[in-house]
Amino acid sequence: MRGLALPWLIALLLAAPVAVGMAGVALPAFGYLPALGGDGLSLEPFRHLVAEPGLAASVGLSLASGLLTTLVSVAGVAIFLAAFFGTPAFRAARQGLAPLLAVPHAAAAFGLLFLIAPSGLVFRLAGPLLGLDRPPDLLIVGDPLGLSMMAALVAKEMPFLLLVAFAALPQAEPERRMQLARSLGYGRMAAFLLTVWPTVYRQIRLPVVAVAAFASSVVDVAMILGPSTPAPLAVRLLSWMNDPDLSQRFVASAGALLQLAVTLAVILAWLGLERLVLAARRRWSRSGRRFAADRAARRLAALPVALSGLAVVVGLLLLVLWSFAGFWAFPDLAPAELTLRSWQRALAGATGPLWTSFVVALAAAVVALVLVMLLLEGRRRQFPSARAGEVRLTRAVAGLIYLPLIVPQVAFVFGLQVLVIGAGLTPSLPLLVAVHLVFVAPYAALALADPWFALDPRYERIAASLGRTRATSFLRVRLPLLAAPVMTALAIGFAVSIGQYLPTVLIGAGRLPTITTEAVALAAGGDRRVIGVYALLQTLLPFALFAVAALVPALLAGRRRGMRAA
């Protein structure tokens, strides 16, 4: 196979399910699905969709969720970096990021539920001050505006954007730019926001757009914390698709196209907001205002990231406590007794989903990692004389790889389900791995592309001068030197697969339950002890792989002392 064609071939392979799934949605949306009696094209599904009660409210929730979640997350990351770049707080946030990334969205949502619900920790702490002897009658979880749902999304998306911003910072030369701006009298935050942040943002723009797309079409977090009457559009699509009345499949397909339009509207609105911010930045830089006295602003700048991290960590601790809790009355701060009964009860039914989750996630992460490495190496070898950091993926190839992050899952996984059923395929582990691969590979590429191209190619040229073949230098030089980012990409891919809810429910058709689908299904039951067990099991798997990812490079470096300098 020629190296020139390899990146395109792999990118097309990864993007193909999106195109196929969209085709599978578009035809039933216009009334054509012979298996259900739809033999001709019509607009009848859209007429039924528009007649659905509360549709405008569902669309509004999805729009607001996409825009507000992205705005708060990006603003929080920008002001945190501006206030704390190069400080001990910056280094602490960098080191503490991996555990937060390992927490699946559903587990973080359950943790936040145990924290802010009327019977949660916040009101238990406030009970003595407010004279509460029972949970207040407040609609916090499932509030009509979806604020709890958006808070959970912000708590999860902010660490992700911090991770990609950390990776982008070296290319922005922050020390040199800030030194120059500070010498002109600008305050610390103003210097960073005017000179460093624009370069960082250009590099993380794609992940930001991916966050906007995900937040506008999220399903699992919305089912746990979002409103139900009406629910966000993506949740309603799932209920129509699973309706016993098969004619609702046509409405669901039309709704999937509407969801795609909603997500595109969110992305376009975000791009418009970018232009407004750019104009404001130009006006600010021309005004000459230095904002040298920014001590109070620097202290406040820690709040969004600190609250986000605290919500996830305290939520996890509450999951642990509830999983071992016996009787726990309100407003007691701790349960009256600790017991293993919930674990013993839950583990009997969780073993199968746990094993399915592990096998599917490991297989999807390994296959995705191999494909991404082949793609990146194929691209790099097109420029044998390039220096470190000079090679990049073309926009077209990058666009194909990251397409599943931009197009909402709910808009094309429905189509894949229709095609799978039409082809007579039965749910199986390989089929589930193949669907998870579509979502795992883009994240693996995001994590690995920059380190892969940044490694100095002179290491391999020296290996060649010592008589080593390309394959030998790849296996014995490049891979060991890149062990840390390769293992991190594997762990991120594994965590992404563990957290997949919608593809597992639709393609697995309920026959291949995973720990995530079981945990989300428990949300309607309200047994906090069992929810705590399942959410912790869902979190422990990614934690374990992140621990392995940290251990392997350390072991390799221990055997080869010279690698530490690399």
Side-chain angles (χ1 to χ4, degrees):
M1 186 177 297
R2 295 177 58 188
L4 185 63
L6 191 59
W8 273 101
L9 188 64
I10 295 174
L12 287 170
L13 177 70
L14 294 174
V18 180
V20 172
M22 289 302 301
V25 157
L27 290 175
F30 288 96
Y32 185 79
L33 186 58
L36 296 181
D39 297 320
L41 297 178
S42 77
L43 293 176
E44 199 61 25
F46 288 98
R47 293 194 189 97
H48 287 294
L49 175 66
V50 173
E52 287 288 337
L55 184 67
S58 297
V59 170
L61 275 170
S62 298
L63 283 169
S65 176
L67 276 176
L68 290 179
T69 299
T70 312
L71 182 61
V72 174
S73 301
V74 172
V77 169
I79 62 174
F80 177 81
L81 293 178
F84 297 103
F85 171 73
T87 66
F90 174 84
R91 289 187 284 276
R94 193 166 196 162
Q95 290 172 354
L97 204 56
L100 297 182
L101 290 173
V103 181
H105 281 81
F110 280 126
L112 191 66
L113 184 150
F114 291 176
L115 185 62
I116 65 172
S119 58
L121 182 64
V122 170
F123 285 98
R124 287 173 187 269
L125 290 171
L129 297 175
L130 302 177
L132 298 174
D133 58 0
R134 65 186 62 187
D137 187 16
L138 298 173
L139 185 59
I140 297 174
V141 176
D143 60 289
L145 297 177
L147 298 179
S148 304
M149 173 185 70
M150 290 182 225
L153 287 170
V154 169
K156 272 299 294 170
E157 299 307 333
M158 206 177 281
F160 168 65
L161 291 179
L162 261 182
L163 174 74
V164 292
F166 284 149
L169 268 172
Q171 284 77 39
E173 301 177 314
E175 291 89 356
R176 188 174 62 82
R177 295 186 186 212
M178 286 189 67
Q179 193 175 18
L180 178 61
R182 296 299 298 275
S183 69
L184 294 173
Y186 284 92
R188 180 187 181 84
M189 292 185 71
F192 188 94
L193 292 174
L194 281 175
T195 64
V196 180
W197 177 250
T199 306
V200 172
Y201 181 77
R202 274 198 296 274
Q203 296 181 67
I204 68 169
R205 200 178 185 198
L206 179 64
V208 169
V209 172
V211 167
F214 177 79
S216 68
S217 59
V218 66
V219 174
D220 51 356
V221 175
M223 291 177 70
I224 296 167
L225 288 172
S228 54
T229 50
L233 183 59
V235 177
R236 298 189 70 181
L237 296 185
L238 185 60
S239 67
W240 293 331
M241 186 57 76
N242 290 329
D243 197 302
D245 179 4
L246 294 180
S247 66
Q248 286 294 91
R249 298 291 179 96
F250 293 101
V251 180
S253 297
L257 292 187
L258 178 60
Q259 177 65 65
L260 179 63
V262 168
T263 299
L264 287 176
V266 168
I267 293 173
L268 289 174
W270 182 257
L271 296 181
L273 193 60
E274 280 182 357
R275 291 181 176 274
L276 291 177
V277 172
L278 181 62
R281 174 179 161 269
R282 284 176 181 159
R283 191 171 177 180
W284 175 15
S285 60
R286 288 170 185 162
S287 71
R289 299 184 66 182
R290 264 51 173 181
F291 294 97
D294 61 0
R295 179 173 295 181
R298 289 210 306 270
R299 289 175 180 166
L300 289 175
L303 274 179
V305 169
L307 287 176
S308 166
L310 201 62
V312 176
V313 172
V314 174
L316 280 180
L317 293 176
L318 287 172
L319 290 176
V320 173
L321 204 52
W322 270 107
S323 72
F324 290 104
F327 180 71
W328 192 356
F330 186 90
D332 296 346
L333 291 178
E337 62 168 338
L338 297 177
T339 173
L340 290 172
R341 283 197 298 271
S342 299
W343 282 89
Q344 291 168 342
R345 186 157 47 101
L347 280 178
T351 308
L354 204 60
W355 177 247
T356 303
S357 303
F358 176 76
V359 171
V360 171
L362 189 61
V366 169
V367 174
L369 185 64
V370 171
L371 287 175
V372 167
M373 286 196 297
L374 286 172
L375 183 148
L376 298 177
E377 187 64 8
R379 175 65 179 167
R380 190 181 71 86
R381 290 191 179 185
Q382 292 175 15
F383 305 92
S385 58
R387 289 182 295 181
E390 286 186 343
V391 179
R392 287 280 183 274
L393 292 174
T394 64
R395 287 190 176 185
V397 169
L400 288 171
I401 297 171
Y402 301 128
L403 195 60
L405 301 186
I406 307 300
V407 178
Q409 286 187 3
V410 76
F412 69 92
V413 177
F414 281 161
L416 288 179
Q417 188 200 31
V418 170
L419 294 174
V420 164
I421 293 173
L425 298 176
T426 55
S428 63
L429 286 179
L431 191 59
L432 203 54
V433 170
V435 176
H436 280 211
L437 181 63
V438 176
F439 305 100
V440 170
Y443 284 100
L446 270 177
L448 194 55
D450 284 338
W452 195 271
F453 293 135
L455 185 68
D456 196 332
R458 287 177 294 183
Y459 287 116
E460 287 156 296
R461 289 173 196 157
I462 292 171
S465 71
L466 295 173
R468 303 300 179 189
T469 63
R470 272 188 170 187
T472 303
S473 64
F474 179 82
L475 294 173
R476 301 195 60 180
V477 177
R478 174 162 281 268
L479 280 187
L481 288 173
L482 288 173
V486 165
M487 291 304 297
T488 300
L490 181 72
I492 289 175
F494 185 87
V496 169
S497 177
I498 289 289
Q500 292 301 313
Y501 174 74
L502 189 68
T504 309
V505 166
L506 292 181
I507 303 302
R511 301 183 198 175
L512 297 170
T514 63
I515 200 69
T516 297
T517 60
E518 295 296 281
V520 174
L522 288 169
D527 187 337
R528 295 189 177 190
R529 294 163 185 80
V530 180
I531 288 174
V533 174
Y534 273 80
L536 281 177
L537 288 173
Q538 190 197 15
T539 306
L540 287 176
L541 285 174
F543 263 128
L545 207 71
F546 269 99
V548 172
L551 190 62
V552 169
L555 290 175
L556 282 174
R559 294 176 57 191
R560 304 177 188 185
R561 291 184 181 178
M563 277 177 56
R564 295 175 184 172

